[in-house]
Amino acid sequence: PAWDLFAVVCLERPPVIVPPLSKMETDMLNLLKEKEFENSFMSDHEMRHMRDLERAQKKGKEPTDEVLDESAMITALDMEDKWKTEAETFTPASIPEVEADNKKSMLRCLDRPVRLCVNTKFGDNTYWGLPEAKRIDGESMRQTAERAVQETCGDRLNFKILGNAPLSFYKKKYPKKYQTESAVGAKFFIFKGYVINRDGALWQDVSLKLGENCVDYNWLTYEELLDRTEHKESRALYNMLHTDD
């Protein structure tokens, strides 16, 4: 029997910020800092501060060229005051404030990867799954994967498909009423893709322009994606993705 070939794309927005440390990681970090402090040598700045203290102790004794030039010197404490002043004027980069439950936003859960999941209409029913497209003659599976994202999301999303080979695979048969002599079912080849930020240092949220058969979309975490997709697709994703922990 013949099968239709589909290219499916697991489109991921990678983490943008570092996740918070766990209790074990925090305890380990503090321990390493203590050990480093105990075993480290004095830095150039600390040595400079020691020399400043020695000069201060020479006050009241016989003046030397070193003591006479003291007023023209910048001490280590002066440098620390300068650095503190500069630090007070520093403004860190702003992080977009997006509610974690807002699954329409690509900027949710910035410390974890999120993947695009679309609600597609098939006949009278709808189902949640990854962007997909049926291969046409003369087209490579990589080209089909790129077309799947473009037809599903429109032209507002910058993305890149990784490699020419899929990372996972599954197949399923059509219901009896949809089976034909040319195709009894479909084979789905899952490619990995990444959203690319081309707008500078800060990520910008994108409102997708959905294709004709797409009803809705969500950006989901690893656990949410496995729960939302149907069983065979979920198992295929489980085989190609790693957990967020």
Side-chain angles (χ1 to χ4, degrees):
W3 297 77
D4 289 330
L5 302 181
F6 280 77
V8 185
V9 181
C10 181
L11 190 64
E12 177 179 310
R13 188 230 66 203
V16 179
I17 60 176
V18 178
L21 298 178
S22 65
K23 184 180 184 305
M24 180 180 293
E25 291 171 333
T26 302
D27 293 341
M28 188 64 184
L29 179 63
N30 292 334
L31 176 62
L32 292 176
K33 285 183 176 179
E34 291 178 5
K35 294 295 292 182
E36 182 180 4
F37 179 77
E38 292 173 0
N39 300 328
S40 63
F41 293 99
M42 297 185 72
S43 66
D44 291 343
H45 178 73
E46 290 171 320
M47 295 294 294
R48 179 178 180 179
H49 183 59
M50 293 293 295
R51 291 193 296 269
D52 291 340
L53 294 177
E54 291 176 359
R55 292 192 191 94
Q57 292 176 356
K58 293 180 180 179
K59 287 184 177 180
K61 297 182 179 180
E62 295 184 5
T64 61
D65 293 341
E66 185 177 1
V67 174
L68 293 175
D69 293 340
E70 185 182 70
S71 59
M73 296 185 63
I74 300 177
T75 66
L77 291 178
D78 293 334
M79 294 299 299
E80 290 180 12
D81 291 338
K82 178 183 178 182
W83 294 335
K84 289 179 181 178
T85 303
E86 292 177 351
E88 291 173 356
T89 61
F90 174 75
T91 303
S94 60
I95 299 176
E97 295 183 2
V98 177
E99 295 181 2
D101 294 335
N102 183 9
K103 296 179 180 179
K104 287 286 180 54
S105 174
M106 186 174 65
L107 300 182
R108 68 182 295 251
C109 302
L110 289 176
D111 59 340
R112 305 173 64 187
V114 292
R115 289 129 184 144
L116 179 64
C117 188
V118 294
N119 192 11
T120 306
K121 187 175 181 180
F122 185 77
D124 297 330
N125 302 318
T126 61
Y127 67 95
W128 284 95
L130 301 176
E132 62 184 41
K134 181 180 176 182
R135 179 185 174 273
I136 58 178
D137 291 339
E139 191 176 50
S140 68
M141 293 302 292
R142 162 73 181 256
Q143 292 171 332
T144 306
E146 293 174 342
R147 179 167 57 84
V149 178
Q150 293 168 351
E151 291 180 353
T152 302
C153 306
D155 57 357
R156 300 177 181 176
L157 201 62
N158 297 319
F159 68 95
K160 182 178 181 61
I161 303 295
L162 299 185
N164 296 317
L167 274 68
S168 193
F169 161 84
Y170 70 98
K171 65 179 180 179
K172 59 183 178 181
K173 283 191 174 183
Y174 296 141
K176 288 289 185 180
K177 62 179 180 179
Y178 292 114
Q179 291 185 9
T180 64
E181 295 181 357
S182 60
V184 297
K187 295 183 178 181
F188 298 85
F189 299 87
I190 305 180
F191 289 78
K192 184 71 175 291
Y194 281 101
V195 177
I196 300 175
N197 176 29
R198 294 177 177 168
D199 299 323
L202 298 179
W203 282 75
Q204 302 294 326
D205 209 351
V206 178
S207 179
L208 302 185
K209 183 181 179 181
L210 296 178
E212 181 179 356
N213 295 324
C214 295
V215 180
D216 199 3
Y217 72 93
N218 282 166
W219 291 95
L220 304 178
T221 62
Y222 173 81
E223 295 83 3
E224 293 170 344
L225 182 64
L226 295 187
D227 291 340
R228 184 71 64 87
T229 52
E230 59 95 19
H231 177 69
K232 288 188 176 181
E233 187 171 37
S234 178
R235 287 298 302 175
L237 288 170
Y238 177 81
N239 292 333
M240 65 175 278
L241 299 176
H242 57 79
T243 64
D244 298 338
D245 298 330

